[in-house]
Amino acid sequence: MATPAPAHPTTERITVMGAGLVGSLLSLYLARRGHAVEVFERRGDPRRAGFQEGRSINLALSDRGWKALGGVGVANDIRQVGIPMSGRVMHDVQGNLTRQPYGHDGQAIYSVNRGHLNRRLLDLAEGQTGVTFNFGQQCLGIDLKTKELRLRDTETQEEHTAPYTRLFGTDGAFSAVRSALQRTDRFDYSQDFLDYGYKELTIAAGPGGAWQIEKNALHIWPRGQYLMIALPNLDGSFNATLFFPYEGAESFAALQTPAEVAAFFDRVFPDTVSLMPALTEEFFAHPTGSLLTIKCFPWKYNDDVLLLGDAAHAIVPFYGQGMNAGFEDCTVLNALFDEYGDSAWDTIFAEFQAERKPNNDAMADLALYNFVEMRDRVADPVFLLQKKIEAKISGQFPGQWVPLYSQVTFSDTPYAEALAAGQRQDAIMARLMPHIQAEADYDQPAVQALVQQEMAGRH
């Protein structure tokens, strides 16, 4: 039974496992509600000298992420260190460019450095009364019955225990908290790795810190079975990421020497070679990352433990929604606290997983779908024509036709609703496109009659 909300927030201490992006934002939300928060993190403090950054990959912040940051008043602070990207720029093998806007004028996703964002959120959370961070604390196990964490100090190697009352697992795709839940009765869990890995590379800044390719865009080199993307940095460089098969004729396994890497880039990504002076050194110095989707259920254990972010729903990065979905978890959880009060733990945990599970499953499917789109379809003239026609329909029927990408990226429409609407719109486009060979055909009376008929049939 849920108990009534207390006159003042509960003072019971809340434990958060993981001080990454979602953990630090969640701590900020909880602290602002008056809760005392203790955070444990396996890595060292990223704000301290000598900290080795893990993944340097830039992140694409969109509306869901901005809403979550705005909920704790830090959106403007972060916006000042983000670079707006208003569309995709596709690079073909000859170096020809094709531009595709993401949304309407003024709509953009933002390239944000993961490390800066994490450090800023940690500073803001630590500045709140009642938040304590414990870095260098590896979780070795959790006793769900006695509510006790078993931890190892990574510096001294000493093991110790810590009790918890409520535990939030925000410790990533390989979550120790979820690992404990996986041992409970009837816990469903799946992890699916792509046959692709990724490699971080750098497009260097030009003279005086100039951007050598268009600054306000996400760049894509689609090559059918693989692709490379690049997001801008404030210093004029770009973080480039090669998404590439592990095995095969063109794969990581096939590129074993600097000469082979150089020859491959000369042939497949020729317009980047002069922009990447450290290409071969970085290719062999940087690790190959894996790409996986994790689905599980339930996300809670009684009213004691709750999973959020990648610990509950890790996805591949091809829709730029992994961080945004994790941040939206914080927004939704905070709204449930507002609705039910800060001590209705069982109700809040149950409502949270009921609302978020189907939406994040839908987002996982959308991310895989977008992988095919980015590596292959964005280079297809028929696909690009379809996108232009969709934009025309959206302009002709404002509010009635919102492109799938815009629903996911520039709104907080639940992911599952966006996916269903996108599937309906795909079916309509499949019926319209055989009658359209060029953009001007959209205005033909016969095509307009079909469009009107399809739009009338949606209601």
Side-chain angles (χ1 to χ4, degrees):
M1 269 305 270
T3 54
H8 300 285
T10 176
T11 56
E12 71 176 54
R13 198 160 189 78
I14 294 174
T15 302
V16 174
M17 182 62 67
L21 294 172
V22 175
S24 50
L25 181 63
L26 175 65
S27 301
L28 198 46
Y29 266 99
L30 292 170
R32 291 205 169 187
R33 301 193 71 86
H35 295 288
V37 185
E38 184 157 30
V39 188
F40 293 96
E41 168 58 52
R42 176 178 53 81
R43 300 168 305 161
D45 189 338
R47 300 165 296 176
R48 302 286 178 264
F51 176 79
Q52 293 298 307
E53 192 73 71
R55 295 168 292 174
S56 63
I57 190 168
N58 274 23
L59 300 162
L61 248 178
S62 56
D63 279 32
R64 296 168 202 270
W66 288 120
K67 181 179 178 181
L69 293 170
V72 285
V74 301
N76 289 337
D77 179 273
I78 301 302
R79 204 176 292 272
Q80 291 168 20
V81 293
I83 298 175
M85 301 180 292
S86 57
R88 299 164 165 168
V89 170
M90 280 71 75
H91 299 241
D92 73 10
V93 178
Q94 288 74 42
N96 299 312
L97 305 181
T98 309
R99 201 172 200 291
Q100 182 191 331
Y102 277 134
H104 302 303
D105 288 346
Q107 288 185 321
I109 58 177
Y110 280 70
S111 175
V112 177
N113 179 271
R114 174 193 292 273
H116 174 88
L117 180 55
N118 200 171
R119 290 189 291 272
R120 188 72 190 111
L121 289 172
L122 287 170
D123 283 342
L124 291 163
E126 203 164 51
Q128 293 291 308
T129 303
V131 180
T132 307
F133 284 97
N134 303 276
F135 292 98
Q137 300 296 311
Q138 181 183 4
C139 182
L140 302 177
I142 301 168
D143 190 322
L144 297 171
K145 297 282 192 294
T146 63
K147 298 189 186 180
E148 199 169 61
L149 307 173
R150 189 160 59 86
L151 303 163
R152 175 190 289 139
D153 187 300
T154 58
E155 192 172 317
T156 65
Q157 296 302 306
E158 290 181 6
E159 295 185 13
H160 60 104
T161 60
Y164 67 84
T165 305
R166 314 284 170 196
L167 173 63
F168 290 90
T170 57
D171 49 342
F174 301 103
S175 165
V177 179
R178 190 192 62 240
S179 179
L181 266 56
Q182 283 173 233
R183 296 177 176 86
T184 60
D185 187 40
R186 293 185 297 133
F187 186 92
D188 287 328
Y189 171 75
S190 69
Q191 66 177 33
D192 295 293
F193 284 91
L194 289 184
D195 294 330
Y196 288 74
Y198 68 89
K199 179 83 70 175
E200 293 290 320
L201 303 165
T202 305
I203 291 176
W211 288 271
Q212 299 199 73
I213 54 179
E214 185 181 335
K215 170 188 175 184
N216 297 112
L218 187 150
H219 293 263
I220 307 178
W221 289 260
R223 296 298 182 263
Q225 288 305 302
Y226 51 87
L227 76 154
M228 186 165 70
I229 68 170
L231 280 76
N233 293 312
L234 291 170
D235 66 359
S237 67
F238 285 75
N239 273 9
T241 309
L242 174 65
F243 297 99
F244 206 39
Y246 280 109
E247 307 286 343
E250 292 187 320
S251 68
F252 286 118
L255 301 180
Q256 293 296 318
T257 67
E260 288 170 346
V261 171
F264 173 75
F265 271 75
D266 275 331
R267 176 170 59 84
V268 178
F269 304 117
D271 63 336
T272 69
V273 173
S274 65
L275 309 177
M276 304 173 81
L279 169 63
T280 54
E281 293 89 341
E282 287 188 335
F283 192 90
F284 292 102
H286 293 177
T288 301
S290 58
L291 299 162
L292 83 162
T293 301
I294 286 174
K295 295 181 179 180
C296 67
F297 197 77
W299 294 359
K300 75 181 190 75
Y301 179 79
N302 297 335
D303 61 354
D304 306 334
V305 182
L306 186 68
L307 302 174
L308 294 88
D310 283 356
H313 49 78
I315 61 174
V316 294
F318 302 110
Y319 225 115
Q321 286 296 305
M323 171 189 61
N324 292 289
F327 280 6
E328 191 173 54
D329 286 348
C330 298
T331 310
V332 170
L333 185 68
N334 192 61
L336 290 169
F337 277 124
D338 285 344
E339 183 176 353
Y340 294 107
D342 285 62
S343 58
W345 297 102
D346 196 46
T347 301
I348 289 168
F349 284 11
E351 290 282 328
F352 176 81
Q353 68 177 10
E355 179 174 342
R356 296 301 289 160
K357 167 69 173 170
N359 285 310
N360 282 298
D361 282 355
M363 190 60 246
D365 296 340
L366 282 164
L368 289 166
Y369 167 85
N370 218 41
F371 177 40
V372 177
E373 180 172 305
M374 290 176 71
R375 79 184 189 204
D376 192 0
R377 297 183 72 200
V378 291
D380 178 1
V382 176
F383 173 81
L384 295 174
L385 174 60
Q386 179 172 321
K387 288 297 178 189
K388 290 177 180 176
I389 299 303
E390 286 184 31
K392 285 180 174 292
I393 298 174
S394 181
Q396 188 175 347
F397 299 92
Q400 294 182 54
W401 183 290
V402 181
L404 173 60
Y405 187 88
S406 294
Q407 292 186 60
V408 170
T409 307
F410 301 122
S411 83
D412 58 3
T413 301
Y415 289 131
E417 287 182 25
L419 174 58
Q423 289 170 335
R424 289 192 297 272
Q425 291 175 178
D426 276 349
I428 291 172
M429 296 309 296
R431 293 190 289 270
L432 287 178
M433 289 308 292
H435 305 278
I436 299 172
Q437 273 67 56
E439 195 173 350
D441 291 347
Y442 182 75
D443 297 317
Q444 295 289 335
V447 172
Q448 273 297 303
L450 279 172
V451 171
Q452 295 287 348
Q453 180 182 326
E454 289 286 358
M455 293 306 292
R458 296 178 81 231
H459 300 292

